[in-house]
Amino acid sequence: MPARQRRVAAAILYLFRLDDDETMNRTRIATLLLIVLTGIGTQVRSAQSLPLDPALGITTLPLWDGPAPGSSADSADSPTLTVFLPQSGKANGTAVIVAPGGGYFKLTTELEGREVADWFASRGISAFVLKYRLAPHYLYPIPLQDAQRAIRLVRSFDKRYGLVPGRIGFVGFSAGGHLAATAGTLFDAGNAGSADPVERLSDRPDFLILGYPWLNAMQPNDRHQITYCSVIPSTPADQCKAYEQQYTPSLHVSKDTPPTFIYSTSDDQVVPVSASVDFYTALTAAGVPAELHIFHHGRHGSGLGSGDPALDTWPSLLEQWLRDQGLLTNSK
């Protein structure tokens, strides 16, 4: 038995202060104590190793069968989708992929992942939180490749989760908002000749939801605001220059860009609200349905509002937008 359990048993036994002629009793009591303590330890270990209750509707799936393209052998690097399903019988056929922010070097998975997924699931929308690969080991466009694969994969889940292939959205916050907008402007219809059936599907999201998105991530500026290359200084200079054009979403908006909902704040000290305005302007110029809500005050990284009386209202605006798009109605 572990030394700690033996010491605890000995200490408790000492408290009994049994007489010397009760050696047999002491032995029996010590044995019983060890059995109890061992049982408790076993129960704790078993509880820690038990799988999630399937009724919770939470599962984590790899984006690829086997190692992701360009990935190391470290399984901790593997991109995944964690599934949050609506209550049984409540799913309406709509799905969202949720990309948390974190500057492309970390993921704020609770605030901008789990909380957001629960919000959607409570409204009948199946949510898939994306863990995409990050710097410094994985530079752009690898995060975008993960996002595109996630869209194709969720689209392939139509029968598995009762999803409507034309109602697959992408939600992103901060850097995840840049990732979502990039996926929504750089997409293809799939590779019809691929041996992988998932790769034959389109990676175009059917709608976008962007929370305080870092849409100018690849653009240099003279206002001391962060950029992708300042956050990840290991990025080669020639790539930084190429990224300015390749991965600035407002430069790639077309009539086929999906309908978009944007939430930002005027005094965001991390990403400029002007980038959201530029993207919205490009969307409307291309004839893409778009809705932009700019709040006067609000810190960056507020998630669903974080208790701010004003910002807590933006999810209600989003819910109305989803309803207007027909995304909250049952598909059956």
Side-chain angles (χ1 to χ4, degrees), residues 8-18 25-27 29-30 33:
V8 172
I12 295 174
L13 181 58
Y14 178 75
L15 293 176
F16 282 96
R17 297 184 181 277
L18 297 175
N25 287 337
R26 287 201 301 272
T27 302
I29 292 172
L33 285 169

Side-chain angles (χ1 to χ4, degrees), residues 47-307:
Q48 291 173 340
S49 63
L50 284 175
L52 287 171
D53 182 346
L56 293 174
I58 302 174
T59 310
T60 296
L61 307 170
L63 292 189
W64 281 272
D65 292 330
S71 189
S72 70
D74 187 354
S75 61
D77 291 342
S78 300
T80 62
L81 285 172
T82 299
V83 188
F84 296 83
L85 298 177
Q87 292 181 6
S88 179
K90 302 293 186 181
N92 57 33
T94 301
V96 291
I97 297 156
V98 182
Y104 284 118
F105 64 89
K106 64 178 181 178
L107 293 177
T108 54
T109 308
E110 181 68 23
L111 176 70
E112 297 168 352
R114 172 63 188 268
E115 291 182 13
V116 175
D118 285 340
W119 186 91
F120 280 102
S122 70
R123 286 155 180 81
I125 297 176
S126 300
F128 301 78
V129 177
L130 174 63
K131 186 187 86 171
Y132 52 94
R133 285 172 286 178
L134 301 167
H137 301 298
Y138 302 102
L139 301 179
Y140 238 75
I142 286 181
L144 178 59
Q145 293 171 0
D146 291 347
Q148 292 168 331
R149 173 68 180 191
I151 297 166
R152 299 187 207 274
L153 187 61
V154 171
R155 185 157 279 128
S156 76
F157 290 155
D158 55 342
K159 294 181 175 60
R160 180 173 181 174
Y161 293 118
L163 307 180
V164 177
R167 287 167 60 166
I168 310 298
F170 206 119
V171 183
F173 294 83
S174 191
H178 172 264
L179 182 61
T182 305
T185 51
L186 301 176
F187 50 81
D188 61 52
N191 180 3
S194 175
D196 182 353
V198 174
E199 290 298 312
R200 300 172 200 160
L201 302 174
S202 170
D203 63 0
R204 176 188 178 273
D206 298 301
F207 59 94
L208 297 176
I209 298 168
L210 311 179
Y212 41 88
W214 190 24
L215 295 175
N216 70 329
M218 302 300 180
Q219 292 292 321
N221 66 79
D222 56 4
R223 291 175 288 182
H224 306 291
Q225 291 171 330
I226 63 171
T227 66
Y228 180 86
C229 288
S230 68
V231 170
I232 307 166
S234 60
T235 310
D238 58 336
Q239 289 189 32
C240 290
K241 188 63 180 176
Y243 288 171
E244 293 176 22
Q245 171 66 35
Q246 291 174 341
Y247 303 122
T248 296
S250 61
L251 301 179
H252 301 283
V253 170
S254 72
K255 63 179 179 59
D256 297 318
T257 302
T260 302
F261 178 100
I262 310 170
Y263 148 65
S264 293
T265 59
S266 294
D267 57 357
D268 188 325
Q269 298 299 306
V270 178
V271 302
V273 68
S274 58
S276 291
V277 174
D278 290 345
F279 191 60
Y280 171 79
T281 301
L283 291 169
T284 55
V288 176
E291 189 166 311
L292 170 63
H293 293 277
I294 302 176
F295 288 75
H296 186 196
H297 295 299
R299 65 176 178 82
H300 189 79
S302 57
L304 293 175
S306 296

Side-chain angles (χ1 to χ4, degrees), residues 21-50:
D21 60 355
E22 294 180 337
T23 302
M24 185 60 71
N25 287 337
R26 287 201 301 272
T27 302
R28 289 173 179 170
I29 292 172
T31 302
L32 287 171
L33 285 169
L34 287 172
I35 291 172
V36 171
L37 290 170
T38 302
I40 291 173
T42 302
Q43 290 174 12
V44 171
R45 289 192 297 274
S46 297
Q48 291 173 340
S49 63
L50 284 175

Side-chain angles (χ1 to χ4, degrees), residues 1-11 34 37:
M1 296 302 147
R4 183 180 180 185
Q5 291 179 353
R6 291 197 299 271
R7 289 196 299 270
V8 172
L34 287 172
L37 290 170

